[in-house]
Amino acid sequence: MSKLWKEFSKGLWKDLPPFKVVLGLCPVLAVTKTADNGFGMGLAVIFVLTMSNVLVSIFRKIIPPKVRIACFIVIAASLVVSVELLMQAFAYPLYQQLGIFVPLIVVNCIILGRAEAFASKNPILLSAVDGLGMGIGFTISLTLLGGIRELFGYGTLFGTRIMPEHYKPFSFMVEAPGAFVCLGLMLSAMNIFTSWQARRKGQAVLDNPGHECRSCGICSR
Amino acid sequence: MKPLSGSPVFTVSVPPHAHCGRTFKQDALGTIIALLPAAAFAVWHYQMPAVRVLALSCFTAVLTETICLYFMKREIEADNYTALLYGLLFGFLIPPAAPWWLVVAGSFISIFMGRMIFGGQGTNPLCVPLVGWAVLTVSWPDLMDFDMTMLASELTYPLSQLKNFGPETLDEYPIKSLLLGFQLGGTGAVQTGAIVLGGIYMLARKIIRPDIPFAFIAGVAATAAIFYFIDPFEYASPEYHLLCGATLFGAFFLATDGPSSPTGHTPMLIYGFIGGVLLVIIRIYGMYPDGVPFAILLANLMTPLIDKIKPGPFGGITSIHVRSRS
């Protein structure tokens, strides 16, 4: 049981896909204009990731090692097509919002990364739990990023107006550069938090290079 | 063995050991002095709103720098006038009628996202005030539009006139009135004559090298002349491209920003020329009336590439060595 929990929880913080291992950045940057979009994309990824992990784990003994990447992609692609069809049937507005990024889940490096690094070496139950944890971590990150961008860029959260009436939307956040800036700020915030945590536990922390005047030597102060 | 008191002690430090006495503080102060005539012209044209924008922008910039340095646990050196200079430059770019929160937000973003995030003094890859300007222009285009915000003013914005009504409208702007700043635009950026005075002062004091401004102006003039030669009734003449909008301000003050521009003569010339060419292309084909900030931002992004043009180190490996080794 504790092993299952360990595999599940590493996707939530230790190996959090977009922020800790910085994988799957394409949807992180592209579909997080609103919290809704991020959440929907995350759900699709949870489904594909868990199922592909299970399938890869089932077939791990019979997949020839030399063509394993192609096999993983075939498995992921079939799952993504089924997700796409399901979305068209039951969540068409979301499908229109996400557009090309639903088919692009196939080449999302989290799917391939978990299949290669975990599912192809571990039994079915562990792989399923691993995929579920990673997917949930991914969904939380996307929803959080989408929520921040939506809150400042449109003044709303999940479509409800949060900001006061005279708030002028900071549209930079929902444009493409806003995604990069927001992701960078969140990564730096995570780094600050991690080093603060390490310092509290008394572990060694990587410090920034020195900024004394003599390390530069340009001016004559 | 302990050194005896009074015996000579050798201090070991890293080179360079000889300095010419130039400091950031002096250079920034010189640039601010060079900007003062333009600021005075801005106050003459726009009265109190200009004072308000410039003061608020400078204050926010210095305050942001101080707070950032405090949280970075570094020596608080916000008194070396560089933050003040960037605040002033940012205030020069935005319309005098901008609401206070716009000025504060832009000045904060300039210093925080354009400068302190990369490590403070001397590390900014992009010209600092332009970062804030670009973020504001993407976010609130209606509040950064000179025509929309300055409806009460009698002056007009020549570049939007040029964009909307063609080059014959430029006949309303004699060169002398353009030099005196009788045109709408950024608070201080369009005080062309005063900007030229400041530029000459900076060149004379050797705060900036002449390469970048002159290459920038040459790029603007050459590209505009080519378009003017193709069709004089469709495109404005080179002198209007030089004197309207923030062209000369960009050439003397923004493109020459130290950390974001190349070093070395040839790279500087290439960099300035690229900026000038991009400026005219953005003005003619782009959706924004004035292309100065975006042209300089794009040229800034090319700086690391252009900086690869440099003389080889003395005694370093050359092609002869490589050939003989293989």
Side-chain angles (χ1 to χ4, degrees):
Chain A
M1 191 61 212
S2 67
K3 196 166 183 211
L4 280 184
W5 173 247
K6 202 182 130 234
E7 298 302 343
F8 179 76
S9 64
K10 75 170 186 281
L12 299 182
W13 179 255
K14 200 165 112 333
D15 288 342
L16 189 63
F19 296 139
K20 278 290 176 78
V21 286
V22 200
L23 282 184
L25 285 191
C26 166
V28 169
L29 295 170
V31 303
T32 52
K33 268 192 183 177
T34 62
D36 273 337
N37 283 1
F39 189 65
M41 183 75 192
L43 287 188
V45 170
I46 289 182
F47 175 78
V48 175
L49 192 51
T50 316
M51 292 299 287
S52 91
N53 263 12
V54 169
L55 288 176
V56 167
S57 181
I58 289 174
F59 296 124
R60 69 183 188 276
K61 298 273 168 56
I62 55 172
I63 290 176
K66 276 183 183 165
V67 291
R68 63 186 192 285
I69 301 286
C71 296
F72 298 160
I73 287 188
V74 167
I75 291 172
S78 347
L79 289 164
V80 166
V81 170
S82 65
V83 163
E84 201 185 345
L85 293 174
L86 281 172
M87 253 190 192
Q88 282 180 18
F90 297 108
Y92 194 62
L94 182 68
Y95 174 76
Q96 279 178 317
Q97 283 284 317
L98 297 183
I100 184 69
F101 293 101
V102 178
L104 276 182
I105 298 176
V106 178
V107 286
N108 192 327
C109 29
I110 301 175
I111 313 276
L112 208 57
R114 289 334 288 175
E116 167 77 19
F118 197 88
S120 59
K121 293 167 195 153
N122 286 288
I124 300 168
L125 189 59
L126 278 182
S127 305
V129 165
D130 171 78
L132 199 62
M134 285 285 166
I136 290 175
F138 190 70
T139 310
I140 293 173
S141 317
L142 250 67
T143 316
L144 184 66
L145 192 62
I148 292 174
R149 287 181 66 195
E150 188 185 353
L151 182 65
F152 289 108
Y154 294 125
T156 59
L157 202 56
F158 288 106
T160 5
R161 190 157 183 95
I162 301 282
M163 288 292 190
E165 206 53 47
H166 51 263
Y167 173 75
K168 294 249 184 198
F170 184 35
S171 348
F172 175 75
M173 291 300 259
V174 287
E175 303 287 340
F180 284 99
V181 168
C182 202
L183 181 71
L185 289 178
M186 283 187 77
L187 285 176
S188 60
M190 297 258 311
N191 277 352
I192 291 173
F193 181 75
T194 315
S195 67
W196 174 78
Q197 217 177 17
R199 200 169 292 133
R200 264 193 60 189
K201 282 183 190 160
Q203 294 162 346
V205 187
L206 273 182
D207 255 333
N208 286 332
H211 291 291
E212 305 117 338
C213 206
R214 63 175 176 194
S215 69
C216 153
I218 289 174
C219 69
S220 67
R221 204 170 60 164
Chain B
M1 196 175 80
K2 261 169 72 176
L4 298 167
S5 66
S7 66
V9 177
F10 291 107
T11 311
V12 181
S13 72
V14 289
H17 304 290
H19 298 276
C20 62
R22 265 180 87 174
T23 57
F24 287 127
K25 199 168 178 171
Q26 281 173 12
D27 276 13
L29 194 60
T31 315
I32 290 172
I33 290 171
L35 284 169
L36 284 182
F41 266 66
V43 176
W44 173 45
H45 282 295
Y46 303 114
Q47 282 93 32
M48 276 324 271
V51 179
R52 181 191 65 117
V53 163
L54 294 181
L56 196 56
S57 169
C58 292
F59 174 74
T60 315
V62 176
L63 191 67
T64 311
E65 169 116 347
T66 314
I67 293 172
C68 286
L69 284 173
Y70 176 78
F71 279 111
M72 288 155 86
K73 298 195 180 71
R74 305 239 309 252
E75 189 188 347
I76 310 268
E77 42 183 21
D79 60 338
N80 65 3
Y81 297 119
T82 46
L84 184 72
L85 168 64
Y86 285 134
L88 195 61
L89 286 174
F90 175 75
F92 267 39
L93 281 169
I94 56 176
W100 66 269
W101 55 266
L102 193 72
V103 185
V104 170
S107 192
F108 171 78
I109 291 168
S110 295
I111 297 291
F112 179 68
M113 259 162 57
R115 180 173 153 96
M116 300 320 282
I117 270 193
F118 297 103
Q121 173 77 47
T123 50
N124 47 309
L126 299 167
C127 184
V128 171
L130 294 180
V131 175
W133 182 91
V135 171
L136 294 194
T137 307
V138 170
S139 297
W140 297 286
D142 49 334
L143 290 173
M144 292 294 283
D145 189 323
F146 299 123
D147 286 321
M148 299 274 284
T149 50
M150 300 289 292
L151 288 173
S153 172
E154 289 172 4
L155 305 171
T156 47
Y157 187 31
L159 289 169
S160 68
Q161 300 272 321
L162 168 68
K163 198 154 198 68
N164 297 326
F165 306 112
E168 59 265 28
T169 55
L170 289 178
D171 297 339
E172 295 168 27
Y173 305 95
I175 286 180
K176 190 181 151 209
S177 78
L178 283 178
L179 278 174
L180 284 174
F182 284 102
Q183 55 172 325
L184 214 52
T187 308
V190 293
Q191 317 301 337
T192 314
I195 293 290
V196 173
L197 277 183
I200 292 170
Y201 172 78
M202 288 214 297
L203 288 176
R205 289 266 319 260
K206 295 188 179 171
I207 295 170
I208 53 171
R209 282 205 222 154
D211 308 38
I212 292 176
F214 288 148
F216 193 90
I217 290 168
V220 173
T223 322
I226 290 172
F227 277 104
Y228 188 66
F229 181 72
I230 291 171
D231 189 353
F233 299 106
E234 182 75 17
Y235 304 111
S237 61
E239 69 260 27
Y240 282 106
H241 271 299
L242 280 178
L243 295 177
C244 292
T247 312
L248 290 171
F249 179 61
F252 282 112
F253 291 96
L254 298 179
T256 54
D257 176 51
S260 56
S261 64
T263 51
H265 287 286
T266 319
M268 275 181 170
L269 291 173
I270 296 172
Y271 162 87
F273 197 79
I274 288 176
V277 172
L278 281 173
L279 161 59
V280 178
I281 289 175
I282 292 173
R283 272 190 188 172
I284 288 174
Y285 295 110
M287 58 183 273
Y288 294 100
D290 200 350
V292 175
F294 285 122
I296 295 175
L297 281 174
L298 285 171
N300 281 342
L301 291 176
M302 293 178 205
T303 298
L305 198 64
I306 304 172
D307 250 343
K308 296 212 163 189
I309 306 168
K310 59 188 172 194
F314 178 72
I317 294 176
T318 61
S319 55
I320 301 168
H321 294 91
V322 176
R323 214 175 299 140
S324 64
R325 197 182 291 163
S326 60

